[in-house]
Amino acid sequence: MSGEGEGQDLRDAVKRLEATVAALETRLASLEAREAPRPVSAPALPSVTPPVAAPEQRDLEAHVGTYWLSRLGIVALIIGIAYLITYHFGELGVLARVGAGYLLSAGLGAFGLWLARRHQLFGRIVFGGGLALAYFVTYALHFIPAVRVIDSEVLALVLLAGFVVAIVTIAHRMQSETVAGIALFLGLHTGMLSDITAFTLLSTTLLAAGALFFLVRNRWVIVPMSSLVAVYSTHVVWAVRTGHMAPGAPEHDRLVLSLGFLALYFLLFSVALLVRPRDLPVRASLAFTLLNWAGLTSLGAYEVSQEQDSGLFTFLLVVALAHGAGAAVSRLQRAPVALTHAYLALTAVTLALAMPARYDDVALVAAWTVTGLVAGLAARGVASPVLRGVGVLILYVALGACEWETPGRLTLLAGLVVAFVLVERGGTVRVAGLPEPEARTLFTAICAVGAGLSLVALVGARMPEGLVTLGWVIAAFLLFGVGFAVRERWYRLAALAVLGLALGRLVLVDVAKLPPDQRVVTFILLGVMLLLVSYTYTRLRDRRG
């Protein structure tokens, strides 16, 4: 028994020694790895730095040759094979159609896997093309008449859904954004080779959902964004090609079907974006939001205007409410502030776009003025400089639409003056690349110019034709009053600019053309107003002194 104990102790000691040696070897390897780069940074830099331009040129050439040509090549190849299947496979028997199609896709996929052993990226591009071709073959089994083997639309959709799941699973296990992007992108675009039905749109939606899996799970950006562009672009092509999404159906049903798919696209991409918004780069989130809004708004407005103009205002109002809800959800999800501000700004822009569908003339200008004012004031509560900027932009649109002969124009212009001043006061202002004080100054200057233009138009509309210059002087005097009242220098600078224009017109035009009586009135009132303004400046200077 004692001999066995001693033997066990010896074995334990040997194990401890082996563990110690292994730990020392690991430590030594780590120290060598840390010290290895040191000799590289020695004084040999002068001999390495001069030839910089040549490698960049070669890198550009290599990037075009390896990245773009491979992708363009696989796209052309898959489209060519898809046309081959569409036009010539109908001459084969049932089993031959199915077998030849899947045999081609399997051969291309196997060839891609073989290439990936030596050139991983290139091989995965070819393998993704094989998956896309297999998807198209599955799609063609029902949706292309010349190749149709399956009559049941439900069965065809089940097969397509299963194949999309297979593509997603394979790409996810390979952790290859290249495979996912090539397969889903080509799958989306090969569907454009056939006639358009409601089930074609469903197949496109399945592919979009597969792309969004990678946005939610892997936080990949390129694949979902390219799918978003492809989905809406395909919808555009279908609308142009067929005129409607469901030929032969009643007009109301066609419109509901088209809007239903657009709403489904919008919801899919919005939900995927807002599930975990903090995990995505801010620029990618903003790009998703803008592209999603542009696709839904433009295509939906086109479809509604084609069928019934009266529904355009309601449609755009619903889109605005949807983006307002997106802003609320993004805030609850603690998304980046820029994403919430983008949703709010798109809400205001959509409301402004909706106004011409319901109002015109005076009512339209008033609606734009109210929209801009509400957006600017709401921006204070949510501290959104982007929304404030959009509000000011809408006010400028209202100012530009306020024609000289519009009835009630004076009231509208007075409202615009008040709106510019109210939107300008208070709140934070940010402009990319500018410090906050400079951005605030720029924003105040823009609002002061808008208020000044509105005042000039307001007073000028009330003055007789021969006293336009005097009207400009009165407008400048009122701007001085606003500037002193709100203690804002930019309003006073705008007043000085208007005053300078009035003096130039007075000297160059009015002195020679005005009748004596109007000349007397103009110069007397001009002198009185200039003295009053100068006296005000003098008092302010004395107080500061």
Side-chain angles (χ1 to χ4, degrees), residues 337 341 379 382-391 428-431 443:
V337 177
H341 293 173
V382 295
S384 174
V386 179
L387 184 58
R388 291 187 74 195
V390 170
T428 58
V429 179
R430 296 188 187 91
V431 178
F443 181 77

Side-chain angles (χ1 to χ4, degrees), residues 81-227:
I81 297 177
Y83 276 124
L84 173 67
I85 293 173
T86 302
Y87 293 127
H88 295 288
F89 271 34
E91 302 169 1
L92 304 175
V94 175
L95 294 179
R97 297 177 205 173
V98 178
Y102 285 117
L103 185 62
L104 279 173
S105 60
L108 190 61
F111 181 60
L113 290 177
W114 179 78
L115 284 175
R117 297 176 183 175
R118 298 181 179 180
H119 310 286
Q120 185 181 63
L121 181 60
F122 185 80
R124 288 185 172 185
I125 291 173
V126 177
F127 178 71
L131 291 179
L133 184 59
Y135 171 84
F136 177 76
V137 172
T138 308
Y139 175 87
L141 295 180
H142 171 77
F143 294 103
I144 295 181
V147 196
R148 179 172 295 162
V149 174
I150 300 174
D151 293 327
S152 172
E153 293 176 337
V154 176
L155 177 59
L157 282 174
V158 170
L159 290 176
L160 282 177
F163 207 88
V164 170
V165 172
I167 291 175
V168 170
T169 302
I170 292 171
H172 179 64
R173 287 187 175 180
M174 295 177 68
Q175 285 297 298
S176 174
E177 194 171 3
T178 301
V179 171
I182 292 294
L184 296 176
F185 179 82
L186 285 173
L188 284 165
H189 285 277
T190 50
M192 297 170 60
L193 304 177
S194 63
D195 295 332
I196 310 306
T197 66
F199 284 92
T200 310
L201 299 180
L202 282 174
S203 66
T204 303
T205 307
L206 290 174
L207 286 171
L212 292 177
F213 168 84
F214 297 112
L215 178 66
V216 175
R217 182 66 182 270
N218 298 34
R219 311 316 285 168
W220 292 345
V221 174
I222 296 177
V223 172
M225 189 171 294
S226 61
S227 298

Side-chain angles (χ1 to χ4, degrees), residues 444-459:
T444 302
I446 293 173
C447 291
V449 169
L453 292 174
S454 302
L455 261 179
V456 169
L458 172 63
V459 178

Side-chain angles (χ1 to χ4, degrees), residues 135-502:
Y135 171 84
F136 177 76
V137 172
T138 308
Y139 175 87
L141 295 180
H142 171 77
F143 294 103
I144 295 181
V147 196
R148 179 172 295 162
V149 174
I150 300 174
D151 293 327
S152 172
E153 293 176 337
V154 176
L155 177 59
L157 282 174
V158 170
L159 290 176
L160 282 177
F163 207 88
V164 170
V165 172
I167 291 175
V168 170
T169 302
I170 292 171
H172 179 64
R173 287 187 175 180
M174 295 177 68
Q175 285 297 298
S176 174
E177 194 171 3
T178 301
V179 171
I182 292 294
L184 296 176
F185 179 82
L186 285 173
L188 284 165
H189 285 277
T190 50
M192 297 170 60
L193 304 177
S194 63
D195 295 332
I196 310 306
T197 66
F199 284 92
T200 310
L201 299 180
L202 282 174
S203 66
T204 303
T205 307
L206 290 174
L207 286 171
L212 292 177
F213 168 84
F214 297 112
L215 178 66
V216 175
R217 182 66 182 270
N218 298 34
R219 311 316 285 168
W220 292 345
V221 174
I222 296 177
V223 172
M225 189 171 294
S226 61
S227 298
L228 186 150
V229 174
V231 164
Y232 283 115
S233 300
T234 306
H235 210 94
V236 170
V237 173
W238 288 338
V240 171
R241 182 187 296 178
T242 65
H244 299 290
M245 295 300 102
E251 291 186 2
H252 178 72
D253 293 345
R254 286 196 299 259
L255 178 61
V256 170
L257 179 64
S258 177
L259 293 181
F261 275 106
L262 289 175
L264 183 58
Y265 301 153
F266 176 78
L267 286 174
L268 279 175
F269 286 105
S270 297
V271 170
L273 176 63
L274 294 173
V275 168
R276 290 159 55 194
R278 288 176 292 176
D279 296 342
L280 277 179
V282 175
R283 290 185 179 180
S285 300
L286 294 178
F288 267 105
T289 305
L290 291 174
L291 290 173
N292 207 13
W293 171 81
L296 174 67
T297 305
S298 58
L299 283 171
Y302 170 77
E303 289 293 328
V304 173
S305 61
Q306 289 289 102
E307 299 293 346
Q308 42 178 305
D309 291 334
S310 59
L312 185 58
F313 176 81
T314 303
F315 168 75
L316 292 174
L317 186 62
V318 171
V319 173
L321 292 175
H323 284 82
V329 173
S330 66
R331 194 161 187 175
L332 290 174
Q333 291 287 91
R334 297 180 181 177
V337 177
L339 181 61
T340 304
H341 293 173
Y343 272 114
L344 291 172
L346 291 175
T347 301
V349 170
T350 309
L351 285 175
L353 292 175
M355 296 308 166
R358 173 64 62 89
Y359 306 105
D360 53 14
D361 297 332
V362 179
L364 176 59
V365 177
W368 273 336
T369 303
V370 172
T371 302
L373 178 60
V374 171
L377 295 179
R380 296 186 192 176
V382 295
S384 174
V386 179
L387 184 58
R388 291 187 74 195
V390 170
V392 171
L393 180 61
I394 296 173
L395 291 179
Y396 267 100
V397 172
L399 178 60
C402 193
E403 301 176 358
W404 296 103
E405 297 82 11
T406 302
R409 181 171 174 270
L410 299 180
T411 305
L412 294 174
L413 289 170
L416 282 169
V417 174
V418 175
F420 275 112
V421 175
L422 290 177
V423 171
E424 181 271 331
R425 305 308 298 161
T428 58
V429 179
R430 296 188 187 91
V431 178
L434 287 179
E436 203 279 334
E438 295 182 13
R440 171 73 192 175
T441 300
L442 177 62
F443 181 77
T444 302
I446 293 173
C447 291
V449 169
L453 292 174
S454 302
L455 261 179
V456 169
L458 172 63
V459 178
R462 293 292 297 172
M463 301 301 292
E465 185 177 354
L467 299 177
V468 174
T469 303
L470 183 59
W472 290 7
V473 174
I474 295 173
F477 186 76
L478 294 175
L479 266 180
F480 275 118
V482 174
F484 287 127
V486 299
R487 298 181 181 180
E488 180 52 62
R489 179 170 174 262
W490 276 103
Y491 289 100
R492 302 193 293 271
L493 292 178
L496 288 174
V498 175
L499 195 58
L501 292 175

